[in-house]
Amino acid sequence: MVASCNDWVSDSNAAFVLSLARTHARTHTPPGIGNLSDAPFYTFDRPVRPARDQGDEGEDRNAAAATFPPEFTYPLFAEERLFGYQAPRIDLQFASGSLVPYYSFTYRRAVPEAEGKPDDVVGELRKWLPEDDVEFTDHDLFMARAALDHATFRPLGDKVHEYRTKAGDGDGGDDVVYEIHKSSFDDPQFAKYFRRAQIFNIFFIEGATFLDEDDRWEIMTM
């Protein structure tokens, strides 16, 4: 059976799986890895495996994160179409504190060379992630960083307000405290955090672009 051109075209929105690492995930620091908060720029390459061979590992990975789809991916892939793969899957996961990213790309089959050149999915994705920052392509290392975030991460900037609500339907639930913090780009750690968060603008605000950093701005986060 000969594959047609349409067999190699996929919806890029459907291919993306976005997620935040859950803070209760059980993780460990791999041997030989010290303080990940001081880690340099990481690029750990691992072989791409067919999606059908992921088995239980893929299920465990999803269980350790809250997943959600993007609304828009056309800034990355024209007309929100990927060419060159069958059953593509782009996992983009963030540590829920620092927003340090992890990514992987898997697929069942790639288009034969004689039928066309596949899109450079990883190369395009990395254009939208901060340069010279920590990033992970090794999931164990990433989850170790997420666990470190759970233990040590605190909201950036100065707290200017807080308010409380009841969890659930408000009948006898525990108080949930929301804090509002004020930051600026004068703080290098906040500037890193802001750059990591920018890609969410692209995924969820139609027509959005990356914002310029202006030291005169004061940014409120909750």
Side-chain angles (χ1 to χ4, degrees), residues 31-200:
I33 300 298
N35 185 355
L36 288 177
S37 63
D38 298 325
F41 179 71
Y42 282 104
T43 52
F44 291 92
D45 293 327
R46 67 188 186 94
V48 172
R49 293 180 298 160
R52 64 173 180 268
D53 292 337
Q54 288 183 358
D56 293 339
E57 180 185 347
E59 294 176 5
D60 290 343
R61 186 166 299 170
N62 288 338
T67 63
F68 47 96
E71 292 289 336
F72 310 104
T73 55
Y74 62 82
L76 287 77
F77 304 106
E79 299 182 355
E80 298 184 335
R81 292 290 183 266
L82 288 178
F83 174 75
Y85 308 95
Q86 291 182 355
R89 178 184 172 109
I90 308 166
D91 280 290
L92 182 57
Q93 194 168 346
F94 298 86
S96 59
S98 64
L99 297 183
V100 166
Y102 157 85
Y103 60 83
S104 70
F105 175 51
T106 58
Y107 51 87
R108 183 176 297 119
R109 292 178 60 202
V111 63
E113 184 176 347
E115 296 183 32
K117 182 179 179 181
D119 290 337
D120 181 6
V121 173
V122 171
E124 185 60 35
L125 175 61
R126 291 193 64 193
K127 292 178 184 178
W128 297 87
L129 297 175
E131 295 182 0
D132 302 323
D133 193 10
V134 177
E135 65 181 37
F136 292 93
T137 56
D138 182 294
H139 197 255
D140 287 340
L141 288 173
F142 168 75
M143 291 306 293
R145 174 58 187 263
L148 178 69
D149 274 12
H150 178 47
T152 64
F153 182 81
R154 297 294 180 270
L156 300 172
D158 300 321
K159 187 173 80 171
V160 295
H161 184 64
E162 73 172 44
Y163 64 93
R164 297 170 181 265
T165 65
K166 291 292 185 181
D169 58 9
D171 295 332
D174 294 334
D175 282 352
V176 177
V177 180
Y178 295 90
E179 297 182 353
I180 299 175
H181 289 247
K182 180 176 70 175
S183 305
S184 73
F185 295 115
D186 288 335
D187 180 350
Q189 292 303 312
F190 175 77
K192 284 185 178 181
Y193 179 86
F194 179 85
R195 292 166 196 149
R196 294 166 186 163
Q198 288 251 56
I199 196 169
F200 289 103

